[in-house]
Amino acid sequence: MSIWWSLHLRREAASVPLARRLLLGTMETAGVDPDVSYDLSVALSEACANAVEHGGAAMPGGGSEAYRVTAYLDGEKCRIEVADAGPGFPTGRARPPLRPAATDAEHGRGLGLIKELADHVHIGNTPGRGGAVVSFDKILKWREDAPLMAV
């Protein structure tokens, strides 16, 4: 069985726990192992926080642009994608490897943390539109009583 959902969220801090709770609820209902669910929820929180912070300029009137979160549970894998409408990642030069920031740094840990928690990470820009896209996958483990366990 496959499950997927997509959210369009305002670039506001309150949207981050909303996306995280929806992912955790979906995984719990499907019967995904709690440790795997937790890892993916932390990675999602980091990707959403980056979209909120870097995903575009505030709109006139105090509003903010939106970003999109899409999650796919398909067979033995979960794939999550977070896309924003900001300036995207720098192009035309090699990006530094994803690694954790210095222990005393206040920012810069999110992408490295996502890489540590997921099995595969892709970071790029939305073709033709601009904006950053962070997607990551993780092989799922299932509880023994999982109602939607992949066969």
Side-chain angles (χ1 to χ4, degrees):
M1 172 177 274
S2 296
I3 299 171
W4 73 271
W5 49 260
S6 186
L7 298 172
H8 292 260
L9 300 164
R10 290 181 145 222
R11 284 186 43 244
E12 299 172 352
S15 68
V16 177
L18 174 66
R20 183 177 176 145
R21 283 192 299 267
L22 181 58
L23 179 67
L24 284 169
T26 300
M27 297 208 156
E28 181 180 352
T29 301
V32 174
D33 178 83
D35 291 336
V36 172
S37 298
Y38 179 78
D39 286 352
L40 284 169
S41 73
V42 171
L44 174 62
S45 295
E46 293 296 331
C48 290
N50 282 346
V52 167
E53 185 172 346
H54 305 291
M59 297 171 65
S64 58
E65 295 179 16
Y67 67 101
R68 186 186 76 240
V69 176
T70 306
Y72 306 90
L73 279 78
D74 190 16
E76 294 292 323
K77 180 170 69 172
C78 178
R79 166 166 246 165
I80 297 172
E81 180 179 285
V82 177
D84 65 44
F89 293 99
T91 57
R93 61 182 173 91
R95 277 187 228 116
L98 294 177
R99 62 179 152 225
T103 56
D104 60 346
E106 295 202 17
H107 295 345
R109 294 187 178 147
L111 294 176
L113 187 56
I114 293 167
K115 183 168 179 2
E116 292 300 316
L117 294 169
D119 295 326
H120 178 262
V121 178
H122 179 273
I123 297 169
N125 294 326
T126 306
R129 292 187 324 166
V133 179
V134 175
S135 63
F136 49 95
D137 315 330
K138 190 161 183 84
I139 301 298
L140 298 174
K141 294 179 187 168
W142 300 89
R143 297 187 324 250
E144 289 196 25
D145 64 340
L148 301 179
M149 183 166 53
V151 179

